[in-house]
Amino acid sequence: EYPANLTAGDLARFFAFPTLVYQTEYPRTPRVRRRWLLKRFAELAVVLSAMLLLVTQFVAPTVRGTLEPFERLDVASLVERLMALAIPTLFVWILMFVALFELWLSIVAEVTRFGDRLFYRDWWNARKFDDYWRLWNLPVHNWLVRHVFFPCLNLGLNKTAATAVVFFISAALHELLVSAPCHLLRLYAFAGMMTQVPLIALTNAINERLPSSRAGNVLFWLVFCVVGQPMCLVLYFHDTVSESG
């Protein structure tokens, strides 16, 4: 109990656990299942190999092929390349999700005997954009709710303003994760995240008027997989090549 929990060992356990929210006590499992771990490691190796295959054989050649139409402002050819990128980037994204949330976090939880294995919910069925962000990445969502959303409410902000602050911080972190490896700052990822705020309002309105419609879910998949990810990939690749050249 506090303050006896403030020790280096307790801090090390928190860093090892697959969670971002600190608690004085967590649910724990009685033992480590070694055979289960071996299966998950084997599955992780297969998934990472599939990702490498898709990136090297489909994504990378197509992205390199966008440089010429991008320089010539050939809109038709650029749209064709973006459409060609949509399917392989979708598969890479799904495989990344499986590798991280289904396999790696479960492996870490098993090794540390961390009992809470709920890292995501059924985000693929989301009919509203705010539902997706609540279901996609539960460790980060729980951290943002506790350390950003609720403090904003306590300061007197309404839910809409508090949500905008959450997305602003999330957008800044997304931009950092992309810009730092690319060694440039273009704010494409930041802008993409901030456009989620009006899309949340749009899909909420669709859901209110057509509660049984899947239009919001269709819009989600189109925005993320057909437009958003291929476009961001091409923009960052072009600017990185331009800066390095």
Side-chain angles (χ1 to χ4, degrees):
E1 295 182 0
Y2 178 84
N5 61 302
L6 301 179
T7 64
D10 187 74
L11 184 62
R13 281 191 295 271
F14 170 62
F15 286 156
F17 289 155
T19 181
L20 298 176
V21 177
Y22 179 79
Q23 298 175 187
T24 56
E25 191 174 356
Y26 297 95
R28 306 295 298 277
T29 56
R31 63 184 180 87
V32 176
R33 299 170 294 176
R34 296 183 180 180
R35 183 175 298 180
W36 184 93
L37 268 180
L38 288 175
K39 290 180 179 178
R40 299 295 85 78
F41 273 116
E43 292 168 356
L44 182 61
V46 171
V47 171
L48 293 178
S49 299
M51 289 178 62
L52 180 62
L53 175 66
L54 286 170
V55 170
T56 55
Q57 299 298 316
F58 297 97
V59 176
T62 308
V63 171
R64 286 194 292 267
T66 63
L67 287 176
E68 184 179 348
F70 202 103
E71 294 293 340
R72 294 187 288 106
L73 296 179
D74 186 347
V75 177
S77 297
L78 190 57
V79 170
E80 185 270 331
R81 300 292 195 285
L82 290 175
M83 293 300 100
L85 270 175
I87 298 301
T89 53
L90 169 61
F91 279 111
V92 171
W93 181 48
I94 297 297
L95 289 172
M96 180 275 298
F97 163 77
V98 173
L100 177 58
F101 293 101
E102 179 66 21
L103 296 174
W104 178 247
L105 291 182
S106 296
I107 289 171
V108 173
E110 187 68 24
V111 170
T112 58
R113 297 192 297 109
F114 188 77
D116 186 359
R117 308 293 172 93
L118 187 62
F119 303 118
Y120 63 91
R121 295 184 187 271
D122 59 333
W123 55 267
W124 48 88
N125 291 325
R127 292 188 292 178
K128 300 184 296 180
F129 275 77
D130 55 345
D131 285 345
Y132 164 76
W133 290 110
R134 280 194 292 266
L135 302 173
W136 153 258
N137 185 344
L138 289 185
V140 172
H141 169 72
N142 293 335
W143 185 87
L144 287 169
V145 168
R146 175 173 292 191
H147 296 291
V148 180
F149 185 75
F150 284 152
C152 287
L153 295 181
N154 293 335
L155 290 174
L157 275 68
N158 58 35
K159 288 186 176 180
T160 301
T163 300
V165 172
V166 168
F167 271 95
F168 179 85
I169 293 176
S170 180
L173 292 174
H174 276 79
E175 183 62 43
L176 177 64
L177 289 173
V178 179
S179 294
C182 294
H183 301 287
L184 52 83
L185 182 65
R186 291 295 186 270
L187 300 180
Y188 301 136
F190 181 87
M193 284 295 300
M194 292 308 296
T195 57
Q196 303 297 306
V197 178
L199 286 171
I200 287 174
L202 175 61
T203 51
N204 285 346
I206 293 174
N207 195 62
E208 287 178 5
R209 295 191 178 187
L210 303 169
S212 61
S213 172
R214 304 295 298 180
N217 185 255
V218 173
L219 181 62
F220 155 71
W221 283 102
L222 287 175
V223 168
F224 269 80
C225 303
V226 178
V227 179
Q229 293 180 22
M231 179 64 73
C232 277
L233 181 59
V234 169
L235 289 173
Y236 277 108
F237 178 76
H238 174 269
D239 288 2
T240 301
V241 171
S242 298
E243 288 289 329
S244 62

